[in-house]
Coordinates of all heavy atoms in Angstrom, one line a residue:
M1 N -31.7 10.8 -45.4 CA -30.6 11.5 -46.1 C -29.8 10.5 -46.6 O -29.3 9.5 -46.0 CB -29.9 12.5 -45.1 CG -28.9 13.3 -45.7 SD -28.1 14.7 -45.0 CE -28.3 14.6 -43.3
D2 N -29.5 10.6 -47.9 CA -28.7 9.6 -48.6 C -27.2 9.9 -48.5 O -26.7 11.0 -48.0 CB -29.2 9.3 -50.0 CG -29.0 10.5 -50.8 OD1 -28.8 11.6 -50.4 OD2 -29.1 10.3 -52.1
A3 N -26.3 9.0 -49.0 CA -24.9 9.2 -48.9 C -24.4 10.4 -49.7 O -23.5 11.1 -49.3 CB -24.2 8.0 -49.4
V4 N -25.1 10.7 -50.8 CA -24.6 11.9 -51.6 C -24.8 13.2 -50.8 O -24.0 14.1 -50.7 CB -25.4 12.0 -53.0 CG1 -25.0 13.1 -53.7 CG2 -25.0 10.7 -53.7
Q5 N -26.0 13.3 -50.1 CA -26.2 14.5 -49.4 C -25.3 14.5 -48.2 O -24.9 15.7 -47.8 CB -27.7 14.5 -48.9 CG -28.7 14.9 -49.9 CD -30.1 14.8 -49.4 OE1 -30.4 14.0 -48.5 NE2 -31.0 15.6 -50.0
I6 N -25.0 13.5 -47.6 CA -24.0 13.5 -46.4 C -22.7 14.0 -46.9 O -22.1 14.7 -46.2 CB -24.0 12.1 -45.8 CG1 -25.4 11.8 -45.1 CG2 -22.9 12.1 -44.7 CD1 -25.4 10.4 -44.6
E7 N -22.2 13.5 -48.0 CA -21.0 13.9 -48.5 C -20.9 15.4 -48.8 O -20.0 16.1 -48.6 CB -20.7 13.1 -49.8 CG -19.3 13.4 -50.5 CD -19.0 12.7 -51.8 OE1 -19.9 11.9 -52.2 OE2 -18.0 13.0 -52.4
L8 N -22.1 15.9 -49.5 CA -22.1 17.3 -49.8 C -22.1 18.2 -48.6 O -21.5 19.3 -48.6 CB -23.3 17.6 -50.8 CG -23.3 17.0 -52.1 CD1 -24.6 17.3 -52.8 CD2 -22.1 17.7 -52.9
V9 N -22.8 17.7 -47.6 CA -22.8 18.5 -46.3 C -21.4 18.6 -45.7 O -21.0 19.6 -45.2 CB -23.7 17.9 -45.3 CG1 -23.7 18.5 -43.9 CG2 -25.2 18.2 -45.8
I10 N -20.7 17.5 -45.6 CA -19.4 17.4 -45.1 C -18.4 18.3 -46.0 O -17.6 19.1 -45.4 CB -18.8 15.9 -45.1 CG1 -19.6 15.2 -44.0 CG2 -17.4 15.9 -44.8 CD1 -19.4 13.7 -44.1
E11 N -18.5 18.2 -47.2 CA -17.6 19.2 -48.1 C -17.9 20.6 -47.9 O -17.1 21.5 -47.8 CB -17.8 18.7 -49.6 CG -17.3 17.5 -49.9 CD -17.4 17.0 -51.3 OE1 -18.1 17.8 -52.1 OE2 -17.1 15.9 -51.6
L12 N -19.2 20.9 -47.8 CA -19.6 22.3 -47.6 C -19.1 22.8 -46.2 O -18.7 23.9 -46.1 CB -21.2 22.5 -47.6 CG -21.8 23.9 -47.4 CD1 -21.2 24.8 -48.5 CD2 -23.2 23.9 -47.5
T13 N -19.2 21.9 -45.2 CA -18.7 22.3 -43.9 C -17.2 22.6 -43.8 O -16.8 23.6 -43.3 CB -19.0 21.1 -42.9 OG1 -20.4 21.0 -42.9 CG2 -18.6 21.5 -41.5
I14 N -16.5 21.8 -44.6 CA -15.0 22.0 -44.6 C -14.8 23.3 -45.3 O -13.9 24.1 -44.8 CB -14.4 20.8 -45.3 CG1 -14.5 19.6 -44.4 CG2 -12.8 21.1 -45.6 CD1 -14.0 18.3 -45.0
V15 N -15.4 23.5 -46.4 CA -15.2 24.8 -47.2 C -15.5 26.1 -46.4 O -14.8 27.0 -46.3 CB -16.0 24.8 -48.6 CG1 -15.9 26.1 -49.2 CG2 -15.4 23.7 -49.4
L16 N -16.7 26.0 -45.6 CA -17.1 27.1 -44.8 C -16.3 27.3 -43.6 O -16.2 28.4 -43.0 CB -18.6 27.0 -44.4 CG -19.5 27.1 -45.6 CD1 -21.0 26.9 -45.2 CD2 -19.4 28.6 -46.2
L17 N -15.6 26.3 -43.0 CA -14.8 26.4 -41.9 C -13.4 26.9 -42.1 O -12.8 27.5 -41.2 CB -14.7 25.0 -41.1 CG -15.9 24.5 -40.3 CD1 -15.6 23.3 -39.7 CD2 -16.3 25.7 -39.3
A18 N -13.0 26.9 -43.4 CA -11.6 27.2 -43.7 C -11.4 28.7 -43.4 O -10.4 29.0 -42.7 CB -11.4 26.9 -45.2
P19 N -12.2 29.7 -43.7 CA -11.9 31.1 -43.5 C -11.8 31.4 -42.0 O -10.8 32.1 -41.5 CB -12.9 32.0 -44.1 CG -13.3 31.1 -45.2 CD -13.3 29.7 -44.7
P20 N -12.7 31.0 -41.1 CA -12.6 31.2 -39.7 C -11.3 30.6 -39.1 O -10.7 31.2 -38.3 CB -13.9 30.7 -39.1 CG -14.8 30.6 -40.2 CD -14.0 30.4 -41.4
L21 N -11.1 29.4 -39.5 CA -9.9 28.7 -38.9 C -8.7 29.4 -39.4 O -7.7 29.5 -38.6 CB -9.8 27.3 -39.4 CG -10.9 26.3 -38.8 CD1 -10.8 25.0 -39.4 CD2 -10.7 26.3 -37.3
Y22 N -8.6 29.9 -40.7 CA -7.4 30.6 -41.0 C -7.2 32.0 -40.3 O -6.2 32.4 -39.9 CB -7.4 30.9 -42.6 CG -6.2 31.7 -43.1 CD1 -5.0 31.1 -43.0 CD2 -6.4 32.9 -43.6 CE1 -3.9 31.7 -43.6 CE2 -5.3 33.6 -44.2 CZ -4.0 33.0 -44.1 OH -3.0 33.7 -44.6
Q23 N -8.4 32.7 -40.0 CA -8.3 33.9 -39.2 C -7.9 33.7 -37.9 O -7.0 34.5 -37.2 CB -9.7 34.6 -39.3 CG -10.1 35.2 -40.6 CD -9.1 36.2 -41.0 OE1 -8.7 37.1 -40.3 NE2 -8.8 36.2 -42.4
F24 N -8.3 32.6 -37.3 CA -7.9 32.2 -35.9 C -6.4 32.0 -35.9 O -5.6 32.3 -35.0 CB -8.7 30.9 -35.5 CG -8.2 30.5 -34.1 CD1 -8.6 31.2 -33.0 CD2 -7.5 29.4 -33.9 CE1 -8.2 30.8 -31.7 CE2 -7.1 28.9 -32.7 CZ -7.4 29.6 -31.6
Y25 N -5.9 31.2 -36.9 CA -4.4 31.1 -37.0 C -3.7 32.3 -37.1 O -2.7 32.4 -36.4 CB -4.2 30.1 -38.3 CG -2.7 30.1 -38.7 CD1 -1.8 29.2 -38.0 CD2 -2.2 30.8 -39.7 CE1 -0.5 29.2 -38.3 CE2 -1.0 30.7 -40.1 CZ -0.1 29.9 -39.3 OH 1.3 29.9 -39.7
L26 N -4.2 33.2 -37.9 CA -3.5 34.5 -38.1 C -3.4 35.3 -36.8 O -2.4 35.9 -36.5 CB -4.0 35.3 -39.2 CG -3.8 34.9 -40.6 CD1 -4.6 35.8 -41.6 CD2 -2.4 34.8 -41.0
W27 N -4.6 35.2 -36.0 CA -4.7 35.9 -34.8 C -3.7 35.4 -33.7 O -3.1 36.1 -33.0 CB -6.2 35.9 -34.3 CG -6.3 36.4 -33.0 CD1 -6.2 37.8 -32.6 CD2 -6.7 35.6 -31.8 NE1 -6.5 37.8 -31.3 CE2 -6.8 36.6 -30.7 CE3 -6.8 34.4 -31.4 CZ2 -7.0 36.3 -29.4 CZ3 -7.2 33.9 -30.2 CH2 -7.3 35.0 -29.2
R28 N -3.6 34.0 -33.7 CA -2.8 33.3 -32.7 C -1.3 33.6 -33.0 O -0.5 33.7 -32.1 CB -3.0 31.8 -32.7 CG -4.4 31.4 -32.2 CD -4.6 31.7 -30.8 NE -3.7 30.9 -29.9 CZ -3.4 31.1 -28.7 NH1 -4.0 32.2 -28.2 NH2 -2.7 30.4 -28.0
K29 N -1.0 33.7 -34.3 CA 0.4 34.0 -34.7 C 0.7 35.6 -34.6 O 1.8 36.0 -34.8 CB 0.7 33.5 -36.0 CG 0.7 32.1 -36.2 CD 1.7 31.5 -35.5 CE 1.8 29.9 -35.6 NZ 2.8 29.2 -34.9
G30 N -0.3 36.4 -34.3 CA 0.0 37.8 -34.1 C 0.1 38.5 -35.5 O 0.7 39.6 -35.5
K31 N -0.5 38.0 -36.5 CA -0.4 38.6 -37.9 C -1.6 39.3 -38.3 O -1.7 39.7 -39.4 CB 0.0 37.5 -38.8 CG 1.3 36.8 -38.6 CD 1.6 35.8 -39.7 CE 3.0 35.2 -39.3 NZ 3.5 34.4 -40.4
T32 N -2.5 39.5 -37.4 CA -3.7 40.2 -37.7 C -4.1 41.1 -36.4 O -3.7 40.8 -35.3 CB -4.9 39.4 -38.2 OG1 -6.0 40.2 -38.6 CG2 -5.4 38.4 -37.0
T33 N -4.9 42.0 -36.6 CA -5.4 42.9 -35.5 C -6.9 42.6 -35.2 O -7.5 42.1 -35.9 CB -5.2 44.4 -35.9 OG1 -6.1 44.7 -36.9 CG2 -3.8 44.7 -36.3
P34 N -7.3 43.0 -33.9 CA -8.6 42.8 -33.6 C -9.6 43.5 -34.5 O -10.7 43.0 -34.9 CB -8.8 43.4 -32.2 CG -7.4 43.1 -31.6 CD -6.5 43.4 -32.8
A35 N -9.2 44.7 -35.1 CA -10.0 45.4 -36.0 C -10.2 44.6 -37.4 O -11.3 44.6 -38.0 CB -9.3 46.8 -36.3
Q36 N -9.1 44.0 -37.8 CA -9.3 43.2 -39.0 C -10.2 42.0 -38.6 O -11.0 41.5 -39.6 CB -7.9 42.7 -39.5 CG -7.1 43.7 -40.1 CD -5.7 43.3 -40.4 OE1 -5.0 42.7 -39.6 NE2 -5.2 43.7 -41.6
L37 N -10.0 41.4 -37.6 CA -11.0 40.3 -37.2 C -12.4 40.7 -37.2 O -13.2 39.9 -37.7 CB -10.6 39.7 -35.8 CG -9.3 38.9 -35.8 CD1 -9.0 38.5 -34.4 CD2 -9.3 37.7 -36.6
R38 N -12.8 41.8 -36.6 CA -14.1 42.4 -36.6 C -14.6 42.6 -38.0 O -15.8 42.3 -38.4 CB -14.2 43.6 -35.8 CG -14.3 43.4 -34.3 CD -14.6 44.6 -33.5 NE -13.6 45.6 -33.6 CZ -12.4 45.6 -32.8 NH1 -12.4 44.6 -32.0 NH2 -11.6 46.6 -32.8
K39 N -13.8 43.1 -38.9 CA -14.1 43.3 -40.2 C -14.4 42.1 -41.0 O -15.4 41.9 -41.8 CB -12.9 44.0 -41.0 CG -13.3 44.5 -42.4 CD -12.1 45.1 -43.0 CE -12.4 45.4 -44.5 NZ -11.2 46.0 -45.1
T40 N -13.6 41.0 -40.8 CA -13.9 39.7 -41.4 C -15.1 39.1 -40.8 O -15.9 38.5 -41.6 CB -12.8 38.8 -41.0 OG1 -11.4 39.4 -41.5 CG2 -12.8 37.4 -41.7
V41 N -15.4 39.3 -39.6 CA -16.6 38.7 -39.1 C -17.8 39.4 -39.6 O -18.9 38.7 -40.0 CB -16.7 38.8 -37.5 CG1 -18.1 38.7 -36.9 CG2 -15.7 37.9 -36.9
K42 N -17.8 40.7 -39.8 CA -18.9 41.4 -40.5 C -19.2 40.9 -41.9 O -20.2 41.0 -42.4 CB -18.6 42.8 -40.5 CG -18.8 43.6 -39.2 CD -18.5 45.0 -39.2 CE -18.5 45.7 -37.9 NZ -18.2 47.1 -37.8
V43 N -18.1 40.5 -42.6 CA -18.2 40.1 -43.9 C -18.9 38.7 -44.0 O -19.7 38.4 -44.7 CB -16.9 40.1 -44.7 CG1 -17.0 39.3 -46.1 CG2 -16.4 41.5 -44.9
F44 N -18.3 37.8 -43.2 CA -18.7 36.3 -43.3 C -19.9 36.0 -42.4 O -20.6 35.0 -42.8 CB -17.5 35.4 -42.8 CG -16.5 35.2 -43.8 CD1 -15.2 36.0 -43.7 CD2 -16.7 34.5 -44.9 CE1 -14.3 35.8 -44.7 CE2 -15.7 34.2 -45.9 CZ -14.5 35.0 -45.8
A45 N -20.3 36.7 -41.5 CA -21.5 36.4 -40.6 C -22.8 36.4 -41.5 O -23.6 35.3 -41.4 CB -21.7 37.3 -39.5
P46 N -23.1 37.3 -42.3 CA -24.4 37.1 -43.1 C -24.3 36.0 -44.1 O -25.3 35.2 -44.3 CB -24.4 38.5 -43.9 CG -23.5 39.4 -43.1 CD -22.5 38.6 -42.5
L47 N -23.1 35.7 -44.6 CA -23.0 34.5 -45.5 C -23.2 33.2 -44.7 O -24.0 32.4 -45.3 CB -21.5 34.4 -46.1 CG -21.2 33.1 -46.8 CD1 -22.0 33.2 -48.2 CD2 -19.8 33.1 -47.1
Y48 N -22.7 33.1 -43.6 CA -22.9 31.9 -42.9 C -24.4 31.7 -42.5 O -25.0 30.6 -42.4 CB -22.0 31.7 -41.7 CG -20.6 31.5 -42.0 CD1 -19.6 32.3 -41.5 CD2 -20.2 30.6 -42.9 CE1 -18.3 32.1 -41.8 CE2 -18.9 30.2 -43.2 CZ -18.0 31.1 -42.6 OH -16.7 30.9 -43.0
L49 N -25.0 32.9 -42.1 CA -26.5 32.8 -41.7 C -27.3 32.4 -42.9 O -28.3 31.5 -42.8 CB -26.9 34.1 -41.2 CG -26.4 34.5 -39.9 CD1 -26.8 36.0 -39.4 CD2 -26.8 33.5 -38.8
L50 N -27.1 32.9 -44.1 CA -27.8 32.5 -45.4 C -27.5 31.0 -45.6 O -28.5 30.3 -46.0 CB -27.4 33.3 -46.5 CG -27.8 34.8 -46.5 CD1 -27.1 35.5 -47.7 CD2 -29.3 34.8 -46.6
V51 N -26.3 30.5 -45.5 CA -26.1 29.1 -45.7 C -26.8 28.3 -44.8 O -27.5 27.2 -45.1 CB -24.6 28.8 -45.7 CG1 -24.3 27.4 -45.8 CG2 -23.9 29.5 -46.9
L52 N -26.8 28.6 -43.6 CA -27.5 27.8 -42.5 C -29.0 27.8 -42.7 O -29.7 26.8 -42.6 CB -27.2 28.3 -41.1 CG -25.8 28.0 -40.5 CD1 -25.6 28.8 -39.2 CD2 -25.7 26.5 -40.4
A53 N -29.5 29.0 -43.1 CA -31.0 29.0 -43.4 C -31.4 28.2 -44.7 O -32.4 27.5 -44.5 CB -31.4 30.5 -43.7
A54 N -30.5 28.2 -45.7 CA -30.8 27.4 -46.8 C -30.6 25.9 -46.5 O -31.5 25.1 -46.9 CB -29.7 27.7 -47.9
M55 N -29.7 25.6 -45.6 CA -29.6 24.1 -45.4 C -30.7 23.7 -44.5 O -31.2 22.6 -44.6 CB -28.2 23.9 -44.6 CG -27.0 24.0 -45.4 SD -25.5 23.7 -44.6 CE -25.6 22.1 -44.0
A56 N -31.2 24.6 -43.6 CA -32.4 24.3 -42.9 C -33.6 24.0 -43.7 O -34.5 23.1 -43.4 CB -32.6 25.3 -41.7
L57 N -33.8 24.8 -44.7 CA -34.9 24.6 -45.6 C -34.8 23.3 -46.4 O -35.7 22.6 -46.6 CB -35.0 25.8 -46.6 CG -35.5 27.1 -46.0 CD1 -35.4 28.2 -47.0 CD2 -37.0 26.9 -45.6
V58 N -33.6 23.0 -46.8 CA -33.4 21.8 -47.7 C -33.6 20.6 -46.8 O -34.3 19.6 -47.3 CB -32.0 21.8 -48.3 CG1 -31.7 20.4 -48.9 CG2 -31.9 22.9 -49.3
F59 N -32.9 20.5 -45.6 CA -33.1 19.2 -44.9 C -34.4 19.2 -44.0 O -34.6 18.2 -43.4 CB -31.9 19.2 -43.9 CG -30.6 19.0 -44.7 CD1 -29.6 19.9 -44.7 CD2 -30.6 17.9 -45.4 CE1 -28.4 19.6 -45.3 CE2 -29.4 17.7 -46.2 CZ -28.3 18.6 -46.1
S60 N -35.3 20.2 -44.1 CA -36.6 20.1 -43.3 C -37.6 19.3 -44.1 O -38.7 19.0 -43.5 CB -37.1 21.4 -43.1 OG -37.4 22.2 -44.2
R61 N -37.2 19.0 -45.3 CA -38.2 18.2 -46.2 C -38.3 16.9 -45.9 O -37.5 16.1 -45.4 CB -37.8 18.3 -47.7 CG -37.9 19.7 -48.2 CD -37.6 19.8 -49.6 NE -37.4 21.2 -50.0 CZ -37.3 21.6 -51.3 NH1 -37.1 20.7 -52.2 NH2 -37.2 22.8 -51.6

């Protein structure tokens, strides 16, 4: 893996970690409900699974 791929993986990781970290922050501050958290998980879970599958395919070469 070259430096460009490593940089892209790091940037993608940061972008994908932002929504869960923000939801965690809202939950800790009491600004969201468990129902809203479950709704958010249902939206983002398939996206994260697709991204992980794509990354596995790309890096398995």
Side-chain angles (χ1 to χ4, degrees):
M1 187 164 21
D2 62 347
V4 174
Q5 285 181 331
I6 293 171
E7 180 184 358
L8 290 174
V9 168
I10 291 170
E11 289 175 3
L12 180 64
T13 302
I14 291 170
V15 168
L16 289 177
L17 284 177
L21 290 175
Y22 182 65
Q23 289 297 318
F24 178 74
Y25 167 78
L26 290 176
W27 174 69
R28 294 295 292 165
K29 293 294 183 181
K31 297 182 180 190
T32 189
T33 63
Q36 287 175 317
L37 288 174
R38 281 190 291 277
K39 182 179 175 185
T40 303
V41 167
K42 286 181 184 177
V43 169
F44 281 104
L47 170 67
Y48 289 132
L49 290 174
L50 286 173
V51 170
L52 285 173
M55 286 178 64
L57 285 174
V58 168
F59 292 119
S60 66
R61 295 181 187 185

